[in-house]
Amino acid sequence: MCGIVGYVGTTGGAAAVDVVLDGLSSLEYRGYDSAGLAVPTPSLAVHKAQGELAALEGIVPRGDLAGSLTGIGHTRWSTHGAPSDVNAHPHTDEAGRVAVVHNGIIENYQRLRDDLAEAGVVFRSETDTEVVPHLIRRYLDRGVSPEAAFRRAIDQLEGSYAIAAVFEGSETVYAARQDSPLVVGFGETGTYLASDVPAFIEHTDRVCYLENGDVVRLTADGAVVTDSAGNPVDRPTETVAWDPEDAEKSGYDHYMLKEIHEQPTALRQCLRGRIDDLEGTVTLEDINGLDHDGPVQFVACGTSYHAALFGAERLRRNGMAAQAFLASEYTTDRIPVDAETLVVGVTQSGETADTLRALREAARTGATTLAVTNTVGSSAARECDHALYIRAGPEIGVAATKTFASQQLTLALLAAKLVDSSNRTALEALRDIPGQVQTVLDTSDARAVAEEFVDADGFFFIGRGYHYPVALEGALKMKEITYRHAEGFAAGELKHGPLALVTEDTPVFAVVTGDGEGARKTIGNVAEVAAREAPIVAVTDGGSDVTRYTDYVLEIPTTDDFTGSVLAATQLQLVSYWLANRLGRSIDKPRNLAKCVTVE
């Protein structure tokens, strides 16, 4: 989603314009359609532009702004108003005394806008954000201090927001948070503010995470955090375990390819210390206090929802009642949930708005809540009763890859803890996954397969059981980064309608492992497709005769169905990557998409 950067430096420190632009560059992975910045000294200067950050960098007069040690910046993902220079942030009041950047949605903005317009305010943009600087100006005109004006304006807002503001002539940044992330960084030569740690990780790893209702005043000497009433609150300072080099491409052409190849390392990190080889048991210290034997409900969005489907399937196969729900469709007024229910929110960022809403709604019923996330200190991790970390490390590419694999593995470990962690064969299979993913990466023919389908307009992906979520995820990756139409289906559903769309120009990817009943039925579905002369790609471990019906094969090591789903997902990630690369797509920053979706 939108990204915020703020900075107040000490005398002799880095120029604000450089820190802000570098920070915005580090947040590009979140997705955006315009960018802008403001520096308040010696006079307020605002520069913004539609398009990628390069467009902003091309118009910012760095030399003229080199003396300013304070600034805010923003990358926008449009909600109210189309992408344009005018709708880009920061927004100012009419007199140019205050500049504001904002993530989220102000739900009562129309009423506020109407009131301000009736009072004579002329709006320049179509955004909900522009009401904020005009509200602040209203209070400044009444003689109150900048901080008081900021607070009074914030008090009038309803909805979700992370807001930062600077005032002309002042070396201070004010910010507030409600349901949209903000983190403060403490460096040797200044204080930093951002939506996410990568914006300033090259400067400091000492951070504090703001919570809902917090208001913070940043100066060169540090930050003062208060609640909505102005009372000081203590937010602990933590050290972030990120190496700045983790957020670099390390010689790869794209972050996505780098992160696909980081999966063996990420999976080893996920497993480290969690499987006791001597005892043959799972130990999850993150959630030692969780003891649950009732129903489990997963809530998630996008790729995380596909991982949640794995988690639910894993639990059901071990005898525990479990369901996966799209978080945006989850409501406790029609989904039975009570104090006996464990509600698991699967969210890479820990800030996904739909998932957070679902978790909060579940918590109000008395249900136990668990966040499965990659981000320490995220909203989900702080608000849930328990948090289980997937340990994937930084993921910059918008299309999730290593976080998906790490979610799959983490949820398998969770299932082992909740049901039975003494199945040595199953645990050994989990422990072998990182090495098997490496084998896939070393031997994959995905690039050659992708070359065969450069002209294809649409793709189908099919699978059964654990492989059904793989089919959904394979289709999602194809859509996200190639912009080609793709659909994933439970293999048996293809004949109930979608088969009408299958032609000789519709490549079908079928995930088939082993030679059990599921494999045999899927082969029957593949034969139905072959009869329509569609090109077929089998992702298989060779345990069946599916290849007799297929045109291309992507091999994975022989293993069980669950492990095979992780390996198959890796092959499909590579196919999508190489096809998108061949088509010249913006792989790390696909159009219209955001890494962290903080609006419902």
Side-chain angles (χ1 to χ4, degrees):
M1 254 325 170
C2 309
I4 285 176
V5 176
Y7 171 69
V8 185
T10 59
T11 302
V17 63
D18 295 328
V19 173
V20 170
L21 286 173
D22 288 347
L24 293 178
S25 177
S26 297
L27 293 181
E28 284 188 291
Y29 70 94
R30 293 172 68 93
Y32 68 102
D33 48 50
S34 59
L37 62 80
V39 295
T41 57
S43 60
L44 184 63
V46 175
H47 301 277
K48 51 189 184 176
Q50 179 184 349
E52 295 192 354
L53 188 60
L56 175 65
E57 291 173 328
I59 65 169
V60 171
R62 287 180 183 255
D64 296 345
L65 305 179
S68 180
L69 297 174
T70 301
I72 56 175
H74 189 266
T75 51
R76 177 178 186 248
W77 190 80
S78 298
T79 55
H80 294 75
S84 68
D85 291 354
V86 172
N87 287 332
H89 297 210
H91 291 286
T92 66
D93 66 303
E94 290 178 287
R97 295 174 62 187
V98 57
V100 169
V101 293
H102 162 233
N103 294 350
I105 292 178
I106 299 171
E107 295 175 358
N108 62 333
Y109 91 97
Q110 191 61 60
R111 176 175 58 79
L112 294 171
R113 184 179 178 117
D114 291 344
D115 290 346
L116 289 164
E118 188 175 338
V121 172
V122 177
F123 284 82
R124 301 185 184 93
S125 77
E126 302 169 84
T127 69
D128 56 336
T129 304
E130 195 184 348
V131 301
V132 181
H134 293 305
L135 286 173
I136 293 172
R137 164 72 185 282
R138 169 185 284 182
Y139 293 111
L140 290 175
D141 288 346
R142 296 176 185 176
V144 303
S145 68
E147 181 170 355
F150 179 76
R151 286 182 174 279
R152 292 189 186 183
I154 296 300
D155 286 344
Q156 295 191 50
L157 306 182
E158 298 173 6
S160 63
Y161 54 77
I163 292 175
V166 291
F167 294 80
E168 185 173 38
S170 172
E171 301 283 8
T172 305
V173 173
Y174 298 95
R177 175 217 157 117
Q178 182 65 44
D179 294 336
S180 194
L182 277 178
V183 58
V184 177
F186 303 97
E188 294 184 2
T189 59
T191 310
Y192 304 82
L193 178 78
S195 303
D196 205 353
V197 170
F200 54 69
I201 191 63
E202 66 178 285
H203 302 290
T204 182
D205 59 2
R206 295 177 58 245
V207 306
C208 79
Y209 296 93
L210 301 183
E211 298 189 7
N212 283 343
D214 284 354
V215 176
V216 62
R217 182 178 73 250
L218 273 69
T219 65
D221 298 326
V224 176
V225 183
T226 55
D227 62 19
S228 57
N231 303 310
V233 293
D234 182 26
R235 297 289 176 243
T237 300
E238 305 175 21
T239 300
V240 179
W242 276 27
D243 185 330
E245 292 185 4
D246 289 343
E248 300 298 328
K249 292 181 184 175
S250 305
Y252 289 91
D253 289 339
H254 298 94
Y255 284 113
M256 182 179 178
L257 185 60
K258 172 177 178 275
E259 288 155 5
I260 290 172
H261 282 267
E262 286 176 340
Q263 286 180 119
T265 299
L267 294 172
R268 290 188 182 97
Q269 290 172 173
C270 176
L271 291 171
R272 187 171 296 125
R274 290 174 165 175
I275 294 181
D276 188 321
D277 291 327
L278 293 178
E279 298 294 328
T281 58
V282 167
T283 301
L284 297 176
E285 293 184 359
D286 295 354
I287 55 172
N288 269 344
L290 177 62
D291 185 14
H292 180 79
D293 60 3
V296 178
Q297 295 177 354
F298 292 91
V299 292
C301 305
T303 288
S304 293
Y305 172 67
H306 301 156
L309 291 170
F310 280 106
E313 179 74 6
R314 188 78 169 183
L315 285 171
R316 288 195 298 269
R317 292 195 184 196
N318 286 280
M320 181 172 279
Q323 296 173 280
F325 297 92
L326 288 165
S328 58
E329 291 291 313
Y330 184 85
T331 58
T332 56
D333 61 347
R334 57 183 176 82
I335 296 172
V337 54
D338 55 29
E340 301 302 314
T341 310
L342 173 64
V343 179
V344 183
V346 186
T347 163
Q348 178 268 324
S349 67
E351 303 293 347
T352 308
D354 286 318
T355 305
L356 286 172
R357 181 206 55 76
L359 287 166
R360 290 164 183 157
E361 189 170 340
R364 286 194 291 271
T365 71
T368 300
T369 56
L370 166 65
V372 176
T373 182
N374 196 38
T375 310
V376 177
S378 62
S379 295
R382 293 197 310 274
E383 294 183 24
C384 285
D385 298 313
H386 305 275
L388 179 59
Y389 296 104
I390 69 172
R391 301 177 178 175
E395 185 175 69
I396 306 303
V398 167
T401 52
K402 67 177 181 176
T403 54
F404 177 60
S406 296
Q407 286 172 337
Q408 290 175 277
L409 200 52
T410 302
L411 292 176
L413 294 172
L414 174 64
K417 172 180 169 54
L418 292 179
V419 182
D420 180 11
S421 64
S422 60
N423 186 330
R424 288 180 178 272
T425 301
L427 296 183
E428 288 174 1
L430 295 182
R431 190 184 56 202
D432 291 342
I433 289 178
Q436 292 173 325
V437 171
Q438 188 63 60
T439 298
V440 170
L441 294 171
D442 292 342
T443 62
S444 177
D445 292 323
R447 187 171 189 172
V449 170
E451 285 287 340
E452 296 295 325
F453 301 125
V454 172
D455 297 324
D457 292 329
F459 299 82
F460 281 3
F461 297 78
I462 61 172
R464 288 176 182 264
Y466 285 127
H467 303 333
Y468 169 47
V470 171
L472 296 176
E473 179 63 13
L476 180 61
K477 286 293 154 288
M478 186 67 73
K479 284 182 274 198
E480 285 179 319
I481 64 170
T482 71
Y483 311 155
R484 294 287 172 82
H485 184 77
E487 295 294 337
F489 301 98
E493 289 300 300
L494 201 62
K495 60 183 174 293
H496 295 292
L499 199 59
L501 300 176
V502 172
T503 72
E504 60 185 14
D505 298 317
T506 312
V508 177
F509 288 77
V511 183
V512 184
T513 59
D515 62 353
E517 183 180 3
R520 291 193 293 273
K521 287 183 176 180
T522 303
I523 292 170
N525 303 131
V526 169
E528 294 165 355
V529 173
R532 276 74 181 174
E533 299 185 347
I536 302 169
V537 182
V539 185
T540 183
D541 60 356
S544 69
D545 64 349
V546 67
T547 56
R548 66 185 292 185
Y549 297 102
T550 63
D551 303 282
Y552 310 94
V553 177
L554 292 172
E555 296 181 356
I556 60 174
T558 302
T559 185
D560 63 24
D561 279 354
F562 175 81
T563 303
S565 70
V566 180
L567 307 180
T570 302
Q571 287 281 26
L572 297 180
Q573 290 167 358
L574 288 167
V575 170
S576 294
Y577 171 81
W578 287 117
L579 181 55
N581 189 62
R582 177 69 168 76
L583 295 170
R585 305 302 194 214
S586 178
I587 291 175
D588 289 329
K589 296 175 286 184
R591 68 188 183 198
N592 303 332
L593 300 182
K595 183 68 173 173
C596 174
V597 183
T598 55
V599 296
E600 293 183 40

